[in-house]
Short mmCIF file of all heavy atoms in Angstrom, two decimals:
data_model
loop_
_atom_site.label_atom_id
_atom_site.label_comp_id
_atom_site.label_asym_id
_atom_site.label_seq_id
_atom_site.Cartn_x
_atom_site.Cartn_y
_atom_site.Cartn_z
N GLY A 63 22.84 12.21 -20.02
CA GLY A 63 23.33 11.76 -21.31
C GLY A 63 22.18 11.10 -22.05
O GLY A 63 21.10 10.94 -21.48
N HIS A 64 22.41 10.75 -23.32
CA HIS A 64 21.33 10.04 -24.01
C HIS A 64 21.85 8.82 -24.75
O HIS A 64 23.02 8.76 -25.12
CB HIS A 64 20.55 10.97 -24.95
CG HIS A 64 21.28 11.33 -26.19
ND1 HIS A 64 22.12 12.41 -26.28
CD2 HIS A 64 21.30 10.74 -27.41
CE1 HIS A 64 22.62 12.49 -27.49
NE2 HIS A 64 22.15 11.48 -28.20
N ILE A 65 20.96 7.84 -24.91
CA ILE A 65 21.33 6.60 -25.59
C ILE A 65 21.25 6.87 -27.09
O ILE A 65 20.20 7.29 -27.57
CB ILE A 65 20.34 5.46 -25.24
CG1 ILE A 65 20.27 5.26 -23.72
CG2 ILE A 65 20.71 4.18 -25.95
CD1 ILE A 65 19.17 4.29 -23.29
N PRO A 66 22.36 6.63 -27.82
CA PRO A 66 22.28 6.86 -29.27
C PRO A 66 21.32 5.84 -29.91
O PRO A 66 21.38 4.65 -29.58
CB PRO A 66 23.71 6.63 -29.75
CG PRO A 66 24.53 6.36 -28.56
CD PRO A 66 23.64 6.10 -27.39
N ASP A 67 20.40 6.31 -30.70
CA ASP A 67 19.46 5.43 -31.38
C ASP A 67 19.13 6.04 -32.74
O ASP A 67 18.36 7.00 -32.84
CB ASP A 67 18.18 5.27 -30.53
CG ASP A 67 17.23 4.22 -31.11
OD1 ASP A 67 17.45 3.80 -32.26
OD2 ASP A 67 16.28 3.84 -30.40
N ALA A 68 19.75 5.48 -33.76
CA ALA A 68 19.58 6.04 -35.11
C ALA A 68 18.16 5.87 -35.63
O ALA A 68 17.73 6.58 -36.53
CB ALA A 68 20.57 5.35 -36.05
N LEU A 69 17.42 4.91 -35.03
CA LEU A 69 16.07 4.62 -35.54
C LEU A 69 14.98 5.44 -34.85
O LEU A 69 13.82 5.37 -35.23
CB LEU A 69 15.77 3.12 -35.36
CG LEU A 69 16.70 2.17 -36.10
CD1 LEU A 69 16.41 0.74 -35.70
CD2 LEU A 69 16.55 2.34 -37.61
N ASP A 70 15.36 6.17 -33.80
CA ASP A 70 14.33 6.89 -33.04
C ASP A 70 14.77 8.34 -32.80
O ASP A 70 15.82 8.59 -32.21
CB ASP A 70 14.11 6.16 -31.70
CG ASP A 70 12.80 6.56 -31.05
OD1 ASP A 70 12.19 7.54 -31.51
OD2 ASP A 70 12.39 5.88 -30.10
N ASP A 71 13.94 9.28 -33.24
CA ASP A 71 14.24 10.71 -33.05
C ASP A 71 14.04 11.13 -31.59
O ASP A 71 14.60 12.13 -31.15
CB ASP A 71 13.29 11.57 -33.90
CG ASP A 71 13.69 11.52 -35.36
OD1 ASP A 71 14.83 11.10 -35.63
OD2 ASP A 71 12.86 11.88 -36.21
N ASP A 72 13.20 10.38 -30.90
CA ASP A 72 12.87 10.71 -29.51
C ASP A 72 14.02 10.21 -28.62
O ASP A 72 14.06 9.04 -28.21
CB ASP A 72 11.55 10.01 -29.14
CG ASP A 72 10.91 10.61 -27.91
OD1 ASP A 72 11.44 11.62 -27.39
OD2 ASP A 72 9.89 10.07 -27.45
N LYS A 73 14.95 11.13 -28.32
CA LYS A 73 16.15 10.75 -27.56
C LYS A 73 15.79 10.25 -26.17
O LYS A 73 14.95 10.83 -25.49
CB LYS A 73 17.09 11.94 -27.42
CG LYS A 73 17.83 12.26 -28.68
CD LYS A 73 18.72 13.47 -28.45
CE LYS A 73 19.44 13.84 -29.72
NZ LYS A 73 20.08 15.15 -29.63
N LYS A 74 16.49 9.19 -25.73
CA LYS A 74 16.22 8.64 -24.40
C LYS A 74 17.33 9.08 -23.46
O LYS A 74 18.49 8.78 -23.67
CB LYS A 74 16.17 7.12 -24.48
CG LYS A 74 15.07 6.61 -25.38
CD LYS A 74 15.28 5.16 -25.68
CE LYS A 74 14.55 4.63 -26.87
NZ LYS A 74 13.67 5.45 -27.64
N PHE A 75 16.91 9.83 -22.41
CA PHE A 75 17.90 10.41 -21.50
C PHE A 75 18.06 9.60 -20.22
O PHE A 75 17.12 8.97 -19.74
CB PHE A 75 17.51 11.84 -21.15
CG PHE A 75 17.71 12.79 -22.30
CD1 PHE A 75 16.67 13.11 -23.15
CD2 PHE A 75 18.97 13.32 -22.54
CE1 PHE A 75 16.87 13.95 -24.23
CE2 PHE A 75 19.18 14.17 -23.61
CZ PHE A 75 18.13 14.49 -24.46
N PHE A 76 19.29 9.66 -19.68
CA PHE A 76 19.57 9.03 -18.39
C PHE A 76 20.43 9.99 -17.55
O PHE A 76 21.04 10.92 -18.11
CB PHE A 76 20.27 7.67 -18.56
CG PHE A 76 21.59 7.76 -19.29
CD1 PHE A 76 22.78 8.00 -18.61
CD2 PHE A 76 21.64 7.63 -20.68
CE1 PHE A 76 23.99 8.10 -19.27
CE2 PHE A 76 22.85 7.76 -21.36
CZ PHE A 76 24.03 7.98 -20.65
N ILE A 77 20.44 9.77 -16.24
CA ILE A 77 21.21 10.67 -15.36
C ILE A 77 22.64 10.16 -15.23
O ILE A 77 22.88 8.95 -15.21
CB ILE A 77 20.52 10.80 -13.98
CG1 ILE A 77 21.10 11.98 -13.18
CG2 ILE A 77 20.61 9.52 -13.16
CD1 ILE A 77 20.25 12.39 -11.98
#
Side-chain angles (χ1 to χ4, degrees):
Chain A
H64 74 271
I65 304 172
D67 187 348
L69 299 173
D70 198 348
D71 285 343
D72 197 5
K73 285 179 182 167
K74 298 166 198 358
F75 288 96
F76 60 88
I77 194 165

